[in-house]
Amino acid sequence: MSATTITQSATVSLSRAARELELKRGEFDLALHLGCVRSVPDEGGGGRRIARTEIERVRAEAGFPETLRERVKAVGTTEGAALVGVTTARFTRLARLGLVVPVKFYLNRYRVVVWLYLAEELKQFAADEHNAPLLSGRTPEGLRDQLVEGLDLRPRNWRGRHLGFLLRQTEDPWARAAVVASLLDPVHVAEIVKDPYERAHLNRLMPAPVSRAAPDSPGARITERITTAEHPDEIGWLRADLGQSVLEAREVRPAPRPAPRAPSVPARVPSPGSSVSGPIGAPPRAARTAPVGSPRAERHCATAAAAPPRPPESARSRRLLAWLRRGSPDESAYRALNSPSCTTETSRRPLRS
């Protein structure tokens, strides 16, 4: 039995683990996100898997599965406002100010962003005495001015939370650099990582997109705006983090590059009238001649003496062309009969006066 088979028998797929932990797929994804369930990389390159020992550990916790479901329960604005004890308008203002952090989002049928929050975190926020002034009365003037200016920290807070989740999923330095690059615009990535082979390697290692919408669709563009850093200070922090991550990755191993091509040898172009073959720049081969006095040399001399002298090439060519232009007797007679001098007498009939 191979090592891969043994590893897979000790682990299960994500869908199998969700069924054994009695969670819906969305709840199971949040459990992975929050670290409630730990995953391991698949040695066969098939993504993440869950060890059977981890499933047994979670199932052995007190109150399973209700306690686990409570830890990963996510609610929207209406239910979240009820948990905190405020109106939906005030809850939205608290979320825009970054006082409550979303854990997830999706687009509804009208392409409106719906933010989800952990119910457990909202309960802790409402129970904190320091937050009591924010739950009733007028919003402090400084916070109110930020809301008037259009402040909305929900996308940024979600990106920060999502970045931490992705970084916990890998220890590979290049993969960690790709996680940081996934939150930046490609223009910023090109300015930091100038080597095209390193950028291509980062693109291959980038995490899967959050949206399942078709590329360049309205839903995909909305999701891209949420998942891409837009605030100048956030962009600066991510650029610095990306540069440092790439430096650390280079120290571990360089990015893969194509193998260098072998130098091609140019084909030799022989000079006109030259039949000598050989590499360019090599001296021409000497003519192969038999030694004087050998039987081969005597036969060659006798044959050359007995053969009649060959006429020059130009004379032979002229005689050949003259012979080809010469027609057969029948053809000569046909041309003679059809010549103007051998036409019928009608061709020489005198003109009428």
Side-chain angles (χ1 to χ4, degrees):
M1 183 180 296
S2 63
T4 303
T5 305
I6 296 175
T7 303
Q8 290 187 349
S9 63
T11 59
V12 297
S13 63
L14 300 182
S15 58
R16 176 69 178 275
R19 290 194 301 269
E20 294 191 10
L21 294 177
E22 303 180 23
L23 295 175
K24 298 178 181 179
R25 188 54 192 263
E27 296 173 339
F28 181 76
D29 292 341
L30 276 180
L32 290 176
H33 190 147
L34 300 173
C36 302
V37 179
R38 296 186 293 265
S39 62
V40 295
D42 185 4
E43 295 182 359
R48 310 290 297 185
R49 295 178 68 86
I50 308 298
R52 291 191 176 276
T53 55
E54 178 67 11
I55 296 177
E56 295 173 358
R57 181 191 68 82
V58 176
R59 290 179 65 91
E61 293 179 351
F64 175 85
E66 286 76 14
T67 54
L68 179 60
R69 289 175 180 169
E70 286 295 325
R71 292 169 63 186
V72 298
K73 182 180 180 181
V75 297
T77 301
T78 302
E79 191 174 355
L83 289 175
V84 177
V86 297
T87 62
T88 56
R90 181 180 289 270
F91 182 85
T92 301
R93 290 196 296 269
L94 294 176
R96 289 177 56 188
L97 291 169
L99 300 175
V100 291
V101 180
V103 71
K104 190 177 180 181
F105 75 92
Y106 68 92
L107 302 182
N108 62 11
R109 66 177 66 183
Y110 306 107
R111 300 193 187 96
V112 176
V113 181
V114 179
W115 296 100
L116 299 178
Y117 308 85
L118 284 177
E120 187 176 11
E121 289 183 355
L122 295 180
K123 293 176 182 178
Q124 295 174 0
F125 178 81
D128 192 348
E129 297 179 354
H130 299 285
N131 298 327
L134 301 173
L135 302 180
S136 61
R138 292 177 58 85
T139 305
E141 185 178 356
L143 300 179
R144 190 166 59 249
D145 294 341
Q146 295 180 14
L147 293 173
V148 172
E149 294 175 358
L151 177 67
D152 190 355
L153 296 179
R154 288 175 294 183
R156 178 173 181 172
N157 288 338
W158 176 87
R159 287 192 294 269
R161 195 166 206 166
H162 190 64
L163 176 64
F165 163 68
L166 295 176
L167 290 177
R168 287 194 299 268
Q169 297 296 308
T170 180
E171 296 295 334
D172 181 75
W174 282 106
R176 294 176 67 87
V179 168
V180 180
S182 66
L183 300 181
L184 284 170
D185 189 271
V187 176
H188 295 293
V189 177
E191 292 177 355
I192 300 299
V193 187
K194 300 184 182 299
D195 191 331
Y197 297 110
E198 291 181 346
R199 291 199 304 271
H201 190 48
L202 292 176
N203 290 333
R204 287 192 295 267
L205 296 177
M206 280 191 181
V210 178
S211 174
R212 295 186 177 89
D216 295 331
S217 64
R221 288 194 291 268
I222 295 174
T223 304
E224 184 180 1
R225 287 198 299 267
I226 295 175
T227 57
T228 304
E230 56 182 354
H231 298 282
D233 56 337
E234 181 187 8
I235 293 174
W237 179 80
L238 290 174
R239 285 169 60 99
D241 193 11
L242 175 60
Q244 183 63 31
S245 300
V246 172
L247 288 177
E248 295 175 358
R250 289 171 183 161
E251 294 177 357
V252 176
R253 68 177 184 278
R257 299 174 181 273
R261 297 182 179 179
S264 57
V265 179
R268 180 179 180 272
V269 181
S271 59
S274 173
S275 60
V276 179
S277 60
I280 298 177
R285 296 180 180 178
R288 297 178 61 183
T289 57
V292 180
S294 63
R296 179 180 176 185
E298 293 176 357
R299 288 197 302 269
H300 178 73
C301 294
T303 304
R310 298 178 63 182
E313 189 68 22
S314 58
R316 292 176 58 199
S317 300
R318 287 196 296 270
R319 286 200 297 270
L320 177 61
L321 292 175
W323 184 86
L324 291 174
R325 294 193 184 98
R326 183 185 61 185
S328 61
D330 295 338
E331 184 180 358
S332 301
Y334 177 79
R335 288 200 301 268
L337 290 175
N338 287 276
S339 62
S341 59
C342 298
T343 54
T344 59
E345 57 187 3
T346 57
S347 63
R348 298 177 178 271
R349 183 177 300 173
L351 299 175
R352 294 181 181 180
S353 58

